[in-house]
């Protein structure tokens, strides 16, 4: 940039355009470099992961030593799926576990369906009061299902329901899931591995979330893995692959994981109670819990590990309409911003080590600045180029960071998936996803950034609602 | 400008590399599927030969031997007793052990682990299996140790402690399973670990847990350890839980002492143990623990009182009328939960 030319209005406009483009491109390059590092770490994590045993072998090994687990399933207006989901949870392969379904003040017949289907009657339960939640109205259980406990409480939201579950559980570990998700039968056996291998260090572990749209569900199990026909659902499969196989696996390997999905995470109860459980008043309660755990352990200068494991899978239904998806994405964005704002003192704070430098850099680049700067780039860079204020190389560099490098990262994640996990049974499905990885950059990516800006706007206005999340239910065979 | 163009060109190059890699993988998948189909046919052919008496077992080579070895590993996990012995004898005649020994040098830890687990089942392969205790991968070493511990000619507990690098590299809860298997064979040598100075604490904890399942004769030793581990909040609760599992009344005094520990984790574990061994003499103390500040202690004390039968339930009923709100509500909830109101 020629600073002497600033007195010339035309040169000044060119310089200003170049500054804008530089900021956009540099942010994109930084994001991409961050992703490259994550991809490399994810590759290393998969290449050096412990041998993956068959389920039967795991059962034989863990049957005596695996710690007891309480599976916490908060349910709000889940009348349609709750019985099938609960049956699926009760059929999990794990030596010692309890399923605690928390009816979070549902307005439909969720509780009655559970009572009728499982022959439940009201019981007493001595519960802890360590973490805060809305009042509990009653407990329901049946001698026919000794592993099942239903907690009926006043409505307070998902975090509140999980807190009630934490107070009710009597095991050292609890697994937080969504009641409308499907855990693979050996998911607990697999996700518990770090707690068995490093019992004194591991305080939390997350598993993979996969999209069940298009799959066939039989008796609460995924019986046939298929791709959905809906484009939005297909794009989300690629997004989830990137998020879990690249980002979380990579960050987990770096020990800088900042989020464990609320749909599937295993936690040491004692530490979660010490940080006050899930926070109220945020829609990013899953991310906030992990950040609070990092803070607790770093403040106490205690060694610990928060892990991500690729093998255990939880299947979930993703939105396949623009209206629902936009609400979900805006909410996720708002949740990330709320967590960042609440824990901003951890950013680049040496006290928090790699969480402050790596984990929070990721949030800053990807969640805080990313959508703002990218949308500015979409509007201004092509416009400034069309007005002749930017030369072609600027536009090409912008296209590189927003399109081609994005395509590379998505396809590279697919390559990693195929080499290490090979979860898509048909070749055709892999090719379809490769095509989607290219197409998503033309339209969907831009739309997604607009939704994230909506999340930004909601954050600025301190909006707290979750918004309706309409689900169609799984396709049963 | 050059760097901007370079960014564009690099991004295009990376895209092409990724697309090329994906194409190679798709091709590999196509070829792999053909191989898989061939192996499926071979599995169907070899399965009766491994399981049935009607098929003479003959020396195999190449892919057939590969498939036979994989099948042997899978079937060995599903069979027991004479059925497994017959399977291993046929696999031996086919040359499976030799292939498994070669697989111990594989670059894949997964392959080495499965191989050593299967190899340990063959009586004449103990030396090869023991070599896997020096494997570079900790999971393979532990897998080998767990497999060996089930054999009558397993290495000594001290050797396994050293080979697994217990306490420094190996911290798994599966060490308790390992010690339990060793206790079944030679409880004395496992108990001896507790008196060795150079044995790491984690090995001693695992040995303690395992000995708890070994019968009442080890209760005095466990009680001694429970007292001696005072001030070690990570270790002491495990010893108290072990005393509870052991179930012998010889642990009662040590358990009663644990109920007064300043650490809530120890008090909770001691209360649990008191219930398990039926230590009715501490029921008053357990009743007072219903006022403990830690919820876990109140819960375990309440559970223990329920377990103690009439004397414990009487203590709970008395507590249900106490002036202290915490004691009263805890006792009432536990009585209701135990349907002893």
């Amino acid at each position: 940039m020629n600073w002497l030319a600033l007195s010339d209005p035309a040169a000044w406009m060119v310089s200003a355009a170049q500054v804008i483009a530089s900021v956009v491109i540099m942010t994109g390059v930084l994001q991409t470099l961050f992703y490259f590092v994550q991809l490399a770490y994810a590759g290393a994590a998969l290449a050096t992961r412990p041998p993956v045993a068959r389920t039967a072998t795991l059962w034989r090994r863990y049957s005596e030593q695996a710690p007891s687990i309480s599976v916490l399933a908060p349910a709000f207006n889940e009348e349609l799926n709750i019985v099938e989901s609960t049956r699926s949870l009760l059929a999990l392969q794990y030596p010692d576990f309890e399923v605690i379904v928390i009816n979070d003040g549902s307005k439909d017949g969720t509780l009655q369906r559970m009572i009728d289907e499982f022959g439940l009657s009201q019981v007493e339960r001595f519960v802890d009061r360590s973490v805060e939640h809305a009042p509990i109205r009653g407990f329901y259980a049946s001698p026919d299902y000794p592993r099942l406990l239903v907690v009926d409480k006043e409505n307070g939201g998902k975090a509140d329901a999980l807190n009630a579950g934490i107070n009710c559980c009597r095991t050292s570990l609890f697994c937080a899931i969504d009641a409308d998700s499907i855990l693979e039968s050996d998911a607990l056996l697999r996700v518990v591995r770090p707690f068995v291998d490093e019992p004194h260090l591991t305080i939390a572990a997350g598993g993979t979330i996969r999209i069940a749209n298009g799959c066939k569900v039989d008796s609460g199990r995924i019986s046939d893995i298929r791709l959905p026909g809906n484009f939005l659902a297909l794009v989300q499969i690629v997004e989830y692959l990137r998020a879990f196989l690249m980002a979380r696996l990579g960050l987990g390997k770096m020990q800088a994981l900042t989020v464990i999905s609320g749909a599937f995470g295993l936690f040491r109860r004692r530490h979660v109670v010490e940080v006050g459980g899930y926070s109220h008043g945020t829609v990013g309660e899953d991310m906030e819990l992990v950040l609070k755990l990092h803070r607790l352990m770093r403040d106490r200068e205690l060694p610990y590990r928060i892990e991500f494991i690729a093998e255990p899978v939880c299947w979930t239904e993703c939105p396949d309409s623009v209206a629902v998806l936009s609400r979900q994405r805006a909410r996720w964005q708002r949740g990330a911003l709320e967590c960042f704002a609440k824990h901003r003192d951890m950013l680049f704070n040496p006290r928090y080590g790699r969480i402050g430098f790596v984990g929070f850099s990721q949030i800053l680049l990807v969640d805080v600045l990313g959508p703002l700067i990218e949308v500015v780039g979409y509007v201004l860079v092509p416009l400034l180029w069309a007005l002749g204020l930017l030369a072609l190389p600027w536009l090409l560099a912008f296209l590189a960071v927003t399109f081609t490098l994005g395509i590379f990262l998505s396809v590279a994640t697919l390559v990693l998936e195929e080499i290490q996990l090979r979860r898509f049974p048909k070749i055709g499905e892999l090719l379809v996803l490769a095509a989607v990885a290219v197409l998503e950059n033309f339209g969907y990516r831009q739309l997604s950034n607009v939704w994230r800006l909506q999340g930004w706007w909601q954050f600025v206005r301190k909006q707290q609602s979750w918004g309706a999340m309409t689900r169609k239910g799984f396709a049963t065979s | 400008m050059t760097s901007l163009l370079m960014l564009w060109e690099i991004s295009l190059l990376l895209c092409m590399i990724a697309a090329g890699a994906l194409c190679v993988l798709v091709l590999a998948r196509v070829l792999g599927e053909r191989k898989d189909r061939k192996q499926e046919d071979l599995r169907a052919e070899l399965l009766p030969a491994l399981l049935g008496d009607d098929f003479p077992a003959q020396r195999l080579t190449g892919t057939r031997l590969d498939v036979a070895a994989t099948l042997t590993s899978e079937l060995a996990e599903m069979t027991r007793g004479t059925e497994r012995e017959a399977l291993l004898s046929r696999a031996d005649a086919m040359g499976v052990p030799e292939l498994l020994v070669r697989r111990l040098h594989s670059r894949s830890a997964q392959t080495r682990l499965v191989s050593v687990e299967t190899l340990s089942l063959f009586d004449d392969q103990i030396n090869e299996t023991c070599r896997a205790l020096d494997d570079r991968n900790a999971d393979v070493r532990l897998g080998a140790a767990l497999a060996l511990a089930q054999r009558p000619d397993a290495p000594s507990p001290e050797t396994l402690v050293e080979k697994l690098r217990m306490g420094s590299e190996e911290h798994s809860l599966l060490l308790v399973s390992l010690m339990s298997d060793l206790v079944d064979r030679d409880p004395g040598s496992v108990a001896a670990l507790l008196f060795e100075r150079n044995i790491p604490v984690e090995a001693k904890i695992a040995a303690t847990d395992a000995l708890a399942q070994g019968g009442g004769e080890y209760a005095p030793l466990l009680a001694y350890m429970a007292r001696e581990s005072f001030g070690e909040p990570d270790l002491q609760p495990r010893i108290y839980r072990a005393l509870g599992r052991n179930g012998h009344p010889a642990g009662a005094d040590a358990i009663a002492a644990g109920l007064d520990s300043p650490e809530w984790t120890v008090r909770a574990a001691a209360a649990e143990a008191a219930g398990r061994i039926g230590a009715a003499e501490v029921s008053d103390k357990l009743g007072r623990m219903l006022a403990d500040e830690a919820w876990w202690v109140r819960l375990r004390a309440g559970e223990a009182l329920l377990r103690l039968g009439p004397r414990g339930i009487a203590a709970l009923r008395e507590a249900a009328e106490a002036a202290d709100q915490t004691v009263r509500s805890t006792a009432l909830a536990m009585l209701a939960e135990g349907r002893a109101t």
Side-chain angles (χ1 to χ4, degrees), chain A residues 113-184:
Chain A
R113 277 218 68 195
M114 290 292 286
I115 290 171
D116 295 344
E117 288 291 329
F118 294 100
L120 305 177
S121 54
Q122 195 151 10
V123 294
E124 293 292 332
R125 175 102 163 180
F126 174 53
V127 296
D128 196 3
R129 291 201 175 91
S130 298
V131 290
E132 285 180 21
H133 56 79
I136 290 175
R137 297 191 287 225
F139 302 98
Y140 296 84
S142 162
D144 295 337
Y145 297 92
R147 288 188 191 279
L148 176 63
L149 175 74
V150 175
V151 181
D152 181 34
K153 66 179 276 292
E154 290 174 13
N155 180 258
K158 187 181 172 189
D160 193 76
L162 283 168
N163 280 350
I166 291 167
N167 272 348
C168 294
C169 80
R170 293 176 176 181
T171 52
S172 60
L173 303 182
F174 73 85
C175 179
I177 64 156
D178 282 343
D180 53 5
S181 299
I182 295 176
L183 277 186
E184 282 194 350

Side-chain angles (χ1 to χ4, degrees), chain A residues 322-334:
Chain A
V322 171
V324 181
L325 184 59
S326 63
R327 282 199 294 271
Q328 184 196 56
R329 293 310 157 94
R331 194 180 69 237
W332 286 2
Q333 177 66 28
R334 190 158 35 105

Side-chain angles (χ1 to χ4, degrees), chain B residues 70-317:
Chain B
T70 306
L71 260 178
T72 304
S73 298
E74 292 171 18
L75 293 170
E77 188 136 42
M78 292 184 258
T79 52
R80 293 286 179 276
T82 52
E83 200 180 10
R84 184 192 269 179
E85 282 170 24
L87 164 76
L88 295 175
S89 159
R90 285 184 211 107
D92 197 7
M94 289 175 180
V96 167
E98 289 82 353
L99 177 63
L100 292 175
V101 170
R102 288 201 295 278
R103 281 185 179 176
L104 289 182
H105 302 289
S106 162
R107 287 179 62 191
S108 154
Q110 172 86 40
T111 306
R112 297 200 301 278
L113 177 59
V114 173
S115 301
V116 77
E117 285 181 337
T118 313
L119 203 58
S120 70
L121 302 173
F122 292 92
D123 283 335
D124 53 349
Q125 297 295 337
I126 178 82
N127 290 336
E128 295 294 341
T129 311
C130 284
R131 267 189 213 128
L133 291 172
D134 294 315
D135 194 278
R136 59 187 177 277
N137 183 290
D139 291 283
V140 178
R141 290 199 297 271
L142 181 59
L146 286 165
L148 281 165
Q150 296 187 12
R151 294 178 58 101
D153 49 0
S156 71
E158 270 185 74
T159 307
L160 292 175
V161 168
E162 184 199 330
K163 295 278 185 189
L164 293 179
R165 300 164 210 172
M166 282 188 206
S168 57
E169 289 183 28
E170 188 58 73
H171 312 279
S172 173
L173 290 177
L174 299 182
L175 294 178
V176 181
S177 299
L178 174 71
M179 290 293 175
S180 296
D181 286 337
L182 295 173
V183 162
D184 289 344
R185 185 174 56 85
D186 184 7
S189 57
V190 175
L193 290 178
L194 303 178
F195 299 99
E196 292 288 335
R197 277 201 176 164
N198 298 329
I199 297 294
V201 172
E202 269 165 331
K204 289 186 177 178
I205 294 174
T208 307
D209 273 348
L211 286 168
Q213 295 149 27
E217 63 181 296
Y218 292 104
L221 178 60
L222 293 173
Y224 168 77
M225 286 198 64
R227 280 190 292 266
E228 289 300 302
S229 57
F230 180 82
E232 295 187 58
D234 288 336
L235 172 61
Q236 217 178 6
R238 276 185 77 168
I239 298 176
Y240 275 114
R241 278 194 290 272
L243 266 173
R245 278 199 305 281
N246 185 265
H248 197 275
D253 287 345
I255 288 171
L259 297 176
D260 295 323
S261 169
E263 295 287 340
W264 72 260
T265 49
V266 178
R267 294 198 299 278
E272 187 182 349
R276 282 177 178 264
I277 71 163
E281 62 273 23
V282 295
S283 54
D284 291 343
K285 209 174 211 179
L286 288 170
R288 288 194 293 278
M289 289 171 78
L290 297 176
D292 199 287
E293 60 186 19
W295 175 80
W296 279 106
V297 178
R298 298 199 298 275
L299 171 70
R300 296 302 180 212
E303 285 177 338
L305 286 168
L306 284 174
R307 270 208 175 108
L308 292 180
R311 201 164 154 185
I313 289 170
L316 272 174
R317 286 189 179 141

Side-chain angles (χ1 to χ4, degrees), chain B residues 2-20:
Chain B
T2 317
S3 53
L4 293 173
L5 279 175
M6 194 185 289
L7 183 62
W8 169 247
E9 284 161 5
I10 288 174
S11 73
L12 284 180
L13 181 67
L14 287 172
C15 275
M16 282 190 280
I17 291 172

Side-chain angles (χ1 to χ4, degrees), chain B residues 22-41:
Chain B
L22 195 64
C23 289
V24 169
L25 289 171
V26 167
L27 194 65
R29 175 83 85 98
V30 173
L31 297 174
E33 280 179 359
R34 278 190 204 162
K35 190 180 165 194
D36 290 347
R37 277 196 293 274
K38 192 179 165 192
Q39 292 208 337
E40 278 303 312
D41 293 342

